[in-house]
Amino acid sequence: MGFQCGIVGLPNVGKSTIFNALTAGSGAHAEAANYPFCTINPNVGIVKVPDPRLKVISQYIPPQSLIPATMTFVDIAGLVKGASKGEGLGNQFLGHIRETNAVAHVVRCFDNPNVVHVDGSVDPGRDIGVIDMELILADLETVTKRYSTLEKQARSGDKKTQAVMGVLSRVREALEKGKTVRSLKLTEDEQELVRDFHLITIKPVLYVANLDENGIKNPEAVPYFQAVKKIAESEGSQVVPICGALESEIASLESEEERAEFMKELGVSETGLDRLIRSGYALLGLITYFTAGEKEVRAWTIQKGFKAPQAAGVIHTDFERGFIRAETYHFNDLVQCKSEAGVREKGLMRLEGKEYVVKDGDIMHFRFNV
């Protein structure tokens, strides 16, 4: 399943630097330079989701290969005031993030006279406001284009269109007032009614505060970071502090040993990018289950609350269609028993049916018949 995350922000806030660090080794690369709009074409990178449980499982069930879950990042050109009307090249790229599941909003939280700020000074509150307004205006244009036609269909008695308009009228009103669709807190059913509009401001947002090397040591002491945190808290969003420059250095090191040594010197146990990915999972309510055997140990991403047949369907639709049952035990059971045989001996292997809700860390073998 995995998920797609669009990266947005003003020019020169560190979007492409962070994207390159995230996707190091994937073959994706975004130009990063000290001038606006150096990212012209959207950049897409597939990132391995770090999960130490994969290696632990492989110690007890040795496979030919380890396959982590993945997520996709889409980096578009920096947006400026007027982007929704075509200013600064931003408008033509907004379409590239309409299909994503979430938005990572990179906000500059450092001073550096050698890195030009498009508005002349660093002000996280203002910068976030500029991006939000451009995305709101882009959504309003999308809604307005179809509003009159749908309104006529609703008047003619079309029940489905009437239901859509019941939500869409509230959406348009919020957008006209300069509010995001997110702020309406629509139910899942209401979101489904307007899903084909691919609204950007309906997506959950994760703020990425890009600090310098001094600021990342104690983000809470940086006023810029506090400003972003305050906005995130007011929206019920999350904020992840990152130093793009340091993440680039870590990503450029060739071996895991070198990266571990460098991080030890920095006094950190995990990269900011790992925190970003983990926060993205939490934001979208995603969890991981595993399949394990001689051929491979593999991580699979599913939505929290998925039942066993839905989880099986992530592997192949035939698995869901012909689902019979799932042999299931938990990662912690394997660690405790040291082998799958040990799990069986202790009676911890369970046969679960169609109503079983999969838990994060479950290890599953599916039985199906098509």
Side-chain angles (χ1 to χ4, degrees), residues 192-205:
E192 187 61 38
L193 287 169
V194 294
R195 189 172 302 282
D196 70 341
F197 285 85
H198 300 294
L199 300 170
I200 302 171
T201 67
I202 202 171
K203 303 179 192 300
V205 169

Side-chain angles (χ1 to χ4, degrees), residues 4 8 46 137 139 164 186 195 212 222 227 247 252 282 311 367:
Q4 288 195 328
V8 302
I46 297 174
L137 291 171
D139 277 353
V164 170
L186 300 177
R195 189 172 302 282
D212 59 20
V222 180
E247 298 296 331
S252 69
R367 297 183 184 178

Side-chain angles (χ1 to χ4, degrees), residues 16 50 84 99 107 110 113 116 145 162 201 206 210 222 244 270 294 313 321 333 354 363 365:
S16 295
S84 60
E99 301 296 329
V107 186
F110 64 89
V116 178
K145 280 180 180 177
Q162 287 175 348
T201 67
L206 177 67
N210 190 16
V222 180
E270 65 176 347
E294 291 181 7
R321 190 156 47 93
D333 299 331
K354 292 182 178 181
I363 301 173
H365 298 287

Side-chain angles (χ1 to χ4, degrees), residues 29-305:
H29 181 79
E31 185 179 354
N34 182 24
Y35 57 88
F37 318 123
C38 65
T39 304
I40 301 301
N41 296 311
N43 301 288
V44 179
I46 297 174
V47 181
K48 295 176 182 177
V49 175
D51 194 325
R53 293 176 295 185
L54 266 178
K55 281 192 175 180
V56 175
I57 294 170
S58 71
Q59 291 171 9
Y60 302 119
I61 307 175
Q64 295 173 25
S65 62
L66 289 180
I67 305 177
T70 61
M71 56 192 293
T72 301
F73 283 91
V74 181
D75 176 37
I76 66 167
L79 302 175
V80 293
K81 198 169 186 178
S84 60
K85 300 300 180 186
E87 292 294 326
L89 305 176
N91 183 47
Q92 60 186 295
F93 300 124
L94 288 173
H96 295 288
I97 58 172
R98 289 195 182 279
E99 301 296 329
T100 61
N101 305 103
V103 171
H105 186 161
V106 180
V107 186
R108 178 170 166 175
C109 292
F110 64 89
D111 287 309
N112 186 337
N114 296 319
V115 179
V116 178
H117 190 290
V118 72
D119 285 327
S121 62
V122 178
D123 183 338
R126 178 203 61 207
D127 295 351
I128 289 170
V130 168
I131 297 297
D132 277 352
M133 187 51 65
E134 293 311 315
L135 299 182
I136 286 167
L137 291 171
D139 277 353
L140 182 58
E141 183 181 358
T142 299
V143 170
T144 302
K145 280 180 180 177
R146 294 173 57 187
Y147 198 88
S148 296
T149 302
L150 289 171
E151 200 170 32
K152 288 175 184 175
Q153 289 176 6
R155 284 201 198 107
S156 72
D158 187 305
K159 297 294 184 185
K160 184 176 180 181
T161 307
Q162 287 175 348
V164 170
M165 287 301 295
V167 179
L168 200 62
S169 59
R170 290 164 54 205
V171 166
R172 187 176 76 163
E173 184 180 356
L175 294 169
E176 287 176 339
K177 290 179 178 177
K179 295 180 180 178
T180 63
V181 181
R182 248 181 348 268
S183 67
L184 292 175
K185 301 189 185 303
L186 300 177
T187 65
E188 286 187 22
D189 288 343
E190 289 172 331
Q191 289 184 46
E192 187 61 38
L193 287 169
V194 294
R195 189 172 302 282
D196 70 341
F197 285 85
H198 300 294
L199 300 170
I200 302 171
T201 67
I202 202 171
K203 303 179 192 300
V205 169
L206 177 67
Y207 290 101
V208 182
N210 190 16
L211 299 108
D212 59 20
E213 293 186 27
N214 288 323
I216 198 65
K217 293 174 184 175
N218 184 13
E220 298 292 341
V222 180
Y224 294 147
F225 176 77
Q226 286 293 342
V228 179
K229 186 178 178 182
K230 185 177 179 181
I231 291 169
E233 287 176 346
S234 72
E235 299 177 355
S237 299
Q238 298 180 51
V239 57
V240 179
I242 276 184
C243 175
L246 279 179
E247 298 296 331
S248 288
E249 284 189 57
I250 294 170
S252 69
L253 298 173
E254 292 184 4
S255 68
E256 284 190 25
E257 291 76 16
E258 286 179 300
R259 287 193 287 273
E261 184 62 34
F262 185 57
M263 287 167 62
K264 186 178 178 182
E265 290 175 12
L266 293 173
V268 295
S269 58
E270 65 176 347
T271 67
L273 301 178
D274 285 354
R275 289 198 306 275
L276 171 58
I277 292 170
R278 198 172 62 247
S279 295
Y281 261 52
L283 181 71
L284 289 170
L286 302 175
I287 61 171
T288 303
Y289 81 87
F290 303 93
T291 52
E294 291 181 7
K295 185 178 178 182
E296 64 181 33
V297 170
R298 183 164 183 164
W300 302 90
T301 302
I302 59 171
Q303 200 79 38
K304 188 176 182 180

